Amino acid sequence: MDIVREIRTAVKTGKVAIGSKETINTVINGNARLVIISSNIPQTVRRDIERYCKLSKTPLYEYPGTSWDLGAACNKPFMVSALAVLEPGESGILYLVKGGD
């Protein structure tokens, strides 16, 4: 599975919350179906997101690149340390959760 293509498709055709504060809010409210974090997300933010994901049983995926790479995958000209997929749209991004390729 090409994760960058799936993220771009989800951002374009689905509903995605971008940013760590937005991500935490969607997880707390139970709206997130998948959370993606960058590999260099600050440890304090990582701990918060991991805790809320565990409490709400929301799947968490660590993107193998930096915040700049994740921002580029979202077609954004800025760093993205976390994003929450609310609706996958036409992407197969939720297969990340199941480990499907």
Side-chain angles (χ1 to χ4, degrees), residues 70-88:
L70 187 54
C74 295
N75 284 329
K76 302 295 181 194
F78 48 81
M79 293 189 299
V80 173
S81 59
L83 67 96
V85 177
L86 309 176
E87 293 295 328

Side-chain angles (χ1 to χ4, degrees), residues 29-97:
N29 293 331
N31 297 329
R33 295 180 64 189
L34 171 66
V35 172
I36 300 174
I37 58 173
S38 66
S39 62
N40 66 336
I41 189 170
Q43 283 299 320
T44 55
V45 179
R46 175 190 285 267
R47 274 195 300 271
D48 287 345
I49 291 175
E50 286 175 344
R51 181 179 35 176
Y52 289 125
C53 283
K54 193 171 191 176
L55 288 172
S56 66
K57 294 183 173 69
T58 303
L60 178 66
Y61 176 80
E62 184 175 333
Y63 183 75
T66 66
S67 299
W68 283 110
D69 297 332
L70 187 54
C74 295
N75 284 329
K76 302 295 181 194
F78 48 81
M79 293 189 299
V80 173
S81 59
L83 67 96
V85 177
L86 309 176
E87 293 295 328
E90 298 172 8
S91 75
I93 199 160
L94 295 181
Y95 288 111
L96 280 175
V97 181

